[in-house]
Structure formats: C-alpha cells, structure tokens
C-alpha cells in the first residue's frame, strides 16, 4: 500500500501548510517509506460570484485545469519546483531530517515504479 500526497498547492479550503502537516504526521506515524509526493502544477482555482453558488447549492469554489500561464503563475509561481521550494522546506522546518526527505523524493518513487 502506498500513500499518495497530491494536490499541492491545493485548493483554498485546505492550505498547503495543512496538507504538509498531514504529511508530517504520516511521517511521524512511520509511513515515510510508503509516501509518494506529487502536485498539480497546472491547477488554477476560479472563484465565482456568491449568488451563483447560492443558486446552485454547490461549494463556493470551482476548479479547472487550465493551461493559462497568468492564472497558473498566480496560484503556483514555483511551477514544477513547488514541492522542492515550498513543501520540503516546510517539512524541514517541522523537524523532518534530510535523509527521510531524500528517501521520500528518490527511493520511494523508484520502489513504486519497480513494483517493490
């Protein structure tokens, strides 16, 4: 069984810090050898007018996968380096050691792709 941590930078109702705290706790509970990280580089969240959501009964945010450079940059200026520039420093700040981070980023994907 593998634990996939996806959806970075994440929607506005779950902050990247909250998502990373969940990741930190998974590491603390011993799942560090079964974690795979990924993110949604092209994801952009499009807010709608409040009356639209009141009439529809849906959530107050809608997301769309867009290849729109301006929106993508606004929501994730780090692009494909988001995990390296944001998530890993947060985990380091929380006390995760470099060897664990190296294992999660290099060895886990290798084991996963090899079917181990």
């Amino acid at each position: 069984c593998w634990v996939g941590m996806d959806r970075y930078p994440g929607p506005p109702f779950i902050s990247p810090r909250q998502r990373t705290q969940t990741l930190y706790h998974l590491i603390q509970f011993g799942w560090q050898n079964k974690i795979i990280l990924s993110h949604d580089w092209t994801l952009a969240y499009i807010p709608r007018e409040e009356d639209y959501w009141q009439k529809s009964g849906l959530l107050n945010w809608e997301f769309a996968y867009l290849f729109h450079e301006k929106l993508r940059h606004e929501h994730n200026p780090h692009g494909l380096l988001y995990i390296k520039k944001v998530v890993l420093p947060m985990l380091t700040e929380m006390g995760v050691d470099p060897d664990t981070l190296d294992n999660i980023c290099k060895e886990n994907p290798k084991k996963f792709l090899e079917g181990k």
Side-chain angles (χ1 to χ4, degrees), residues 2 10 15 21-22 29 31 40-41 43 47 50 52 55-56 66 68-69 72 78 87 92 102 108 110 116:
W2 289 90
S15 74
Q21 286 172 333
T22 298
F29 288 129
W31 285 91
D40 296 312
W41 178 53
L43 193 61
E50 184 149 340
Y52 171 85
K55 291 175 189 172
S56 69
L66 301 175
H68 188 287
E69 194 66 34
R72 184 170 53 199
H78 303 290
V87 177
T92 299
D102 193 58
N108 287 357
K110 179 181 173 187
K116 295 183 178 180

Side-chain angles (χ1 to χ4, degrees), residues 9-100:
F13 38 85
I14 301 173
S15 74
R17 180 159 292 279
Q18 289 171 312
R19 194 172 302 279
T20 304
Q21 286 172 333
T22 298
L23 179 56
Y24 171 77
H25 290 299
L26 287 168
I27 293 167
Q28 295 306 303
F29 288 129
W31 285 91
Q32 68 272 7
N33 293 325
K34 290 292 189 173
I35 294 171
I36 300 287
L37 295 176
S38 65
H39 56 77
D40 296 312
W41 178 53
T42 62
L43 193 61
Y45 291 90
I46 313 300
R48 301 281 188 184
E49 295 80 23
E50 184 149 340
D51 64 335
Y52 171 85
W53 297 109
Q54 288 173 352
K55 291 175 189 172
S56 69
L58 299 172
L59 296 174
N60 61 355
W61 287 85
E62 180 180 292
F63 64 90
Y65 290 89
L66 301 175
F67 293 95
H68 188 287
E69 194 66 34
K70 181 178 182 279
L71 290 175
R72 184 170 53 199
H73 184 75
E74 285 175 11
H75 293 282
N76 180 8
H78 303 290
L80 293 173
L81 295 175
Y82 187 86
I83 289 174
K84 180 179 180 178
K85 290 189 172 189
V86 178
V87 177
L88 298 181
M90 270 196 261
L91 287 170
T92 299
E93 178 185 297
M94 292 175 187
V96 178
D97 66 87
D99 289 338
T100 298

